[in-house]
Amino acid sequence: MAIAISARYDHSNDTVIHEQILQSRRGKTLINKNKQTDPGEFGRPNQMANRVKRLIQKLVLGASVICIMGFYCLTRTTLLATQSVSLSPCMPNVQVRNNSHRTLKDATCTPKVNLMFMKTHKTASSTLMNILLRFGEKHQLKFALPDGRNDFFYPSSFFRTQVKSYQPGLCYNVICNHMRFNAPEVEKLLPPDTVFFTILRDPADLFESSFHYYKGYMPQTWMIPGENQMEEFLKHPNRYFNPTGFNSFYLKNLQFFDFGFENNLEKDDPRVKEGIEYIEKQFQLVLLSDHFEESLILLKDALCWTMDDLVFFKLNARNATSVSRMSPELRTRAREWNGADWRLYQHFNATFWARVKAYGRSRMEEQVKELRRRNAEMEAICIDGGRAVGASDIMDRDMKPWQPIGKASILGYNLRNNIEQQYEELCRKMLTPEIQYLTNLGVNLWVTRLWGWFKDNFVRFGFS
Ligand SMILES: Nc1ncnc2c1ncn2[C@@H]1O[C@H](COP(=O)(O)OS(=O)(=O)O)[C@@H](OP(=O)(O)O)[C@H]1O
C-alpha cells in the first residue's frame, strides 16, 4: 500500500497536476512524476515550463497565506485594543427560567450557568459543546468566544486577551472552545462560582481517532511504511516519533497536553501524578466520552439542568471505513505509548464510577434510557433518513462539517423537510456543526475559513 501526498492546483481550464511521492512497501522513496497520466499533455514541448510556472504559483500562494496569517498574529494585540466592545459586565448568579417539569428532588436547586468546559480533542467534545451553545443561547448567557478562528490559538496557552472583544472587567458565563488550559487566565475571566468540567476518552480510541484526523498536520507520520501506518507506528514508536516535530503533541498524550502539561512524560514521572492531582482540584466534574449518556446525566445532576437540556445528536463522527480496527494487543500498545493519558484516564474512570454509584445505578439506568428515548424522538423529528451521512450527501452547506486534510471522512446530517415549526429551530441548532454555529453567534472565523479554503482547494493528501 502506498502513501500518496499530492499538491493540487486547479486552473481555469480545470487542469489538475499531481506530484506524488510514493513510498513502496519496502520503505524506499520514489518520486513518481505521473508519466502515465496523459501522454498528450506530457508530450508537449513547453510542458516543463508550465509545470515550473504552476509550482511557482503554488509556492507564492502558500507563502501569501502564511504571510497573511503571520500578519494577523502580529497585529492581533493592536486590533484588540481598538475594537469596540458591546458586552456589559455579566450579572453574578444569573437566574435561569426553567419551564420544564422537575422532580421534587430537583426542585430546590438553581441551574448553574457559569460554566467552563475544557474542550479536549477527539473526546465527543463537539457534541457536548453543541449542547452548551444551545443552553447558553436559550438562556441568553454570555459566551467568551475566540476571535478569527474556532479555538483560542491552540496549541498556544490560553490568555484572556484571546477572547473576542475582551476588555478587563468584563465577565462571561460560558467558555467552551478548544484551548490549551491555563487556569489563572481562565479564572480571571469567569465568575468565582463557575463550574469547571471536562471530558476524557480511553487513550487507545483517542489515539486512533487523532492519528486519523490529524495525520495531514503531522509530517512525521507521512513516511511511515506499511498498509496500516498507525499499527506500524505503535509497534515501533521510537523509530518514528520526533518529540520536537511539528504538531507532535497529536501523537502522544494529547489529553495531558490539552490540560497545559508537557506531553512527553512517561507514565511513572512524578509530574504525571502531580498533573492528575491538579486537574482533580481544578475540575469539579470529569466526564467520559466512552459513557457519554451517563456523563450527561451526571452533568445534569451537577448543574441542576433538565433532560430537555441534554438532547443531542452525535457530531463529528467518522464513517466506518475510516476507523481502524484495533486488536487488544494494539490497544495495550496505544495505552502504553500514551502512558500519562492512560493514568489520567484510569484515575478519572474510577472517580466517574464512584459518582455513578453515589448517584444510584438503577436511577442512572432509568435516566439514560429516558435520554435515549428523547434523542430517538428528536432523530425522527429532525433527521432526514434518520441517520448521519457522508459529506458529499449533505445538501445544505450550513450542515457540512469541517473535514480533515484530504479526506471527507466526517459525517453530518440532512435536516428533514417540513419539520413542525415548533421544532425547526431546535433541530437546525442540534445539527449545525461547530464552525457554522460559531459564525451564527457572531464570530468572524476568517482565519479558519481561509485555511479551510486553502486546504480544500490547493492541498490534498491522499492516503490509500
Ligand atoms: N455522543 C457521543 N458519544 C461517543 N462518542 C462521540 C459522541 N459524539 C461524538 N463522538 C466521537 O467523538 C469524536 C470527535 O470528538 P471531538 O468532537 O471532541 O473532536 S474535535 O477535537 O472537536 O475535532 C469522534 O470519534 P471518532 O469517530 O473515533 O473520531 C466521534 O465519533
Side-chain angles (χ1 to χ4, degrees):
M1 182 64 73
I3 311 161
I5 305 164
S6 63
R8 185 180 66 168
Y9 181 77
D10 289 350
H11 244 288
S12 52
N13 62 2
D14 285 328
T15 306
V16 177
I17 290 190
H18 286 271
E19 288 196 357
Q20 297 183 318
I21 301 166
L22 297 174
Q23 187 154 30
S24 74
R25 280 173 207 257
R26 277 169 286 151
K28 285 185 190 164
T29 304
L30 305 168
I31 312 258
N32 181 332
K33 298 284 185 188
N34 249 357
K35 285 187 183 112
Q36 76 283 30
T37 323
D38 177 0
E41 182 189 335
F42 284 89
R44 282 196 289 270
N46 59 351
Q47 171 226 340
M48 236 5 239
N50 282 342
R51 294 189 67 189
V52 169
K53 199 173 138 197
R54 285 168 193 155
L55 187 67
I56 291 169
Q57 283 173 321
K58 278 187 273 181
L59 288 173
V60 169
L61 193 79
S64 315
V65 171
I66 291 164
C67 287
I68 293 170
M69 288 187 172
F71 176 76
Y72 174 75
C73 293
L74 287 172
T75 53
R76 273 197 82 253
T77 329
T78 330
L79 288 173
L80 279 170
T82 54
Q83 265 168 4
S84 67
V85 174
S86 55
L87 287 173
S88 56
C90 68
M91 307 292 287
N93 300 320
V94 174
Q95 290 298 312
V96 170
R97 293 166 302 285
N98 242 332
N99 301 324
S100 45
H101 304 293
R102 310 189 66 82
T103 63
L104 208 58
K105 191 172 189 314
D106 292 339
T108 50
C109 65
T110 309
K112 305 270 199 312
V113 293
N114 295 325
L115 308 168
M116 193 282 149
F117 172 51
M118 172 55 210
K119 189 180 191 295
T120 42
H121 286 85
K122 296 290 141 205
T123 55
S125 64
S126 305
T127 304
L128 192 37
M129 181 185 184
N130 180 278
I131 293 172
L132 290 172
L133 294 178
R134 281 184 279 125
F135 180 85
E137 273 202 294
K138 184 171 157 193
H139 300 294
Q140 296 172 0
L141 305 179
K142 285 171 193 153
F143 291 103
L145 295 165
D147 196 11
R149 39 191 275 182
N150 62 317
D151 60 24
F152 292 105
F153 282 79
Y154 186 87
S156 300
S157 253
F158 175 78
F159 281 95
R160 60 194 192 284
T161 50
Q162 294 160 348
V163 171
K164 181 175 181 278
S165 306
Y166 173 77
Q167 272 205 345
L170 288 178
C171 94
Y172 299 85
N173 300 113
V174 184
I175 191 163
C176 58
N177 287 81
H178 280 309
M179 66 164 72
R180 187 145 186 239
F181 188 59
N182 179 1
E185 284 292 309
V186 175
E187 282 161 1
K188 279 175 203 139
L189 193 75
L190 298 165
D193 68 345
T194 299
V195 178
F196 281 55
F197 64 101
T198 188
I199 186 161
L200 301 178
R201 186 178 183 186
D202 183 325
D205 300 310
L206 185 130
F207 180 84
E208 192 277 324
S209 172
S210 173
F211 194 95
H212 166 88
Y213 195 86
Y214 297 112
K215 195 165 155 190
Y217 297 87
M218 302 183 290
Q220 60 182 292
T221 63
W222 298 348
M223 296 301 161
I224 298 172
E227 290 198 12
N228 187 336
Q229 293 182 305
M230 185 192 68
E231 188 173 328
E232 173 63 18
F233 179 90
L234 285 174
K235 281 186 177 156
H236 310 283
N238 294 320
R239 189 183 293 172
Y240 302 112
F241 184 65
N242 171 9
T244 58
F246 186 60
N247 286 336
S248 66
F249 52 86
Y250 287 126
L251 277 176
K252 192 171 166 77
N253 295 316
L254 176 58
Q255 302 184 86
F256 221 60
F257 183 85
D258 279 353
F259 286 102
F261 303 115
E262 158 68 44
N263 66 309
N264 289 310
L265 302 177
E266 291 312 320
K267 66 175 190 304
D268 298 326
D269 192 306
R271 285 171 289 175
V272 173
K273 188 167 171 277
E274 282 164 26
I276 292 170
E277 284 166 4
Y278 183 77
I279 294 169
E280 174 103 53
K281 274 199 207 98
Q282 289 290 336
F283 291 86
Q284 280 106 308
L285 187 58
V286 177
L287 309 173
L288 303 179
S289 58
D290 320 77
H291 304 281
F292 194 73
E293 279 113 343
E294 287 85 349
S295 292
L296 290 185
I297 302 300
L298 288 184
L299 188 71
K300 171 169 89 76
D301 192 49
L303 302 183
C304 185
W305 283 12
T306 69
M307 196 63 94
D308 286 345
D309 298 324
L310 301 185
V311 287
F312 73 90
F313 298 132
K314 193 171 179 177
L315 301 178
N316 232 0
R318 273 177 295 161
N319 56 28
T321 52
S322 306
V323 182
S324 301
R325 208 188 63 81
M326 289 180 101
S327 64
E329 190 223 323
L330 207 62
R331 294 182 71 82
T332 306
R333 281 181 188 273
R335 288 168 177 163
E336 271 167 15
W337 171 246
N338 295 282
D341 272 7
W342 179 226
R343 279 192 68 185
L344 179 73
Y345 182 80
Q346 282 178 305
H347 178 89
F348 287 106
N349 187 46
T351 61
F352 181 87
W353 291 109
R355 251 183 133 121
V356 171
K357 196 173 165 204
Y359 181 84
R361 280 189 185 269
S362 58
R363 187 174 161 222
M364 176 59 83
E365 269 171 35
E366 273 169 34
Q367 292 274 294
V368 167
K369 212 165 133 192
E370 175 59 10
L371 177 57
R372 286 187 182 152
R373 192 189 66 75
R374 301 251 191 136
N375 282 340
E377 208 170 75
M378 291 310 294
E379 222 166 77
I381 293 171
C382 304
I383 302 176
D384 187 48
R387 60 182 183 85
V389 292
S392 58
D393 292 324
I394 302 170
M395 303 306 158
D396 184 346
R397 248 178 120 233
D398 287 346
M399 294 288 142
K400 284 192 195 256
W402 178 270
Q403 299 294 339
I405 295 179
K407 42 195 168 186
S409 55
I410 304 296
L411 302 172
Y413 300 91
N414 284 311
L415 261 176
R416 266 192 58 193
N417 285 327
N418 309 322
I419 296 174
E420 272 180 63
Q421 207 191 343
Q422 55 171 323
Y423 292 114
E424 213 178 300
E425 197 188 337
L426 175 61
C427 287
R428 180 165 278 281
K429 285 185 176 172
M430 286 179 78
L431 296 175
T432 301
E434 176 181 332
I435 304 289
Q436 290 90 330
Y437 207 131
L438 290 173
T439 305
N440 295 343
L441 288 178
V443 183
N444 178 355
L445 291 161
W446 76 271
V447 177
T448 304
R449 286 193 187 281
L450 184 63
W451 165 240
W453 172 79
F454 185 71
K455 166 179 77 72
D456 295 339
N457 290 289
F458 297 96
V459 186
R460 200 169 64 172
F461 289 73
F463 298 88
S464 53

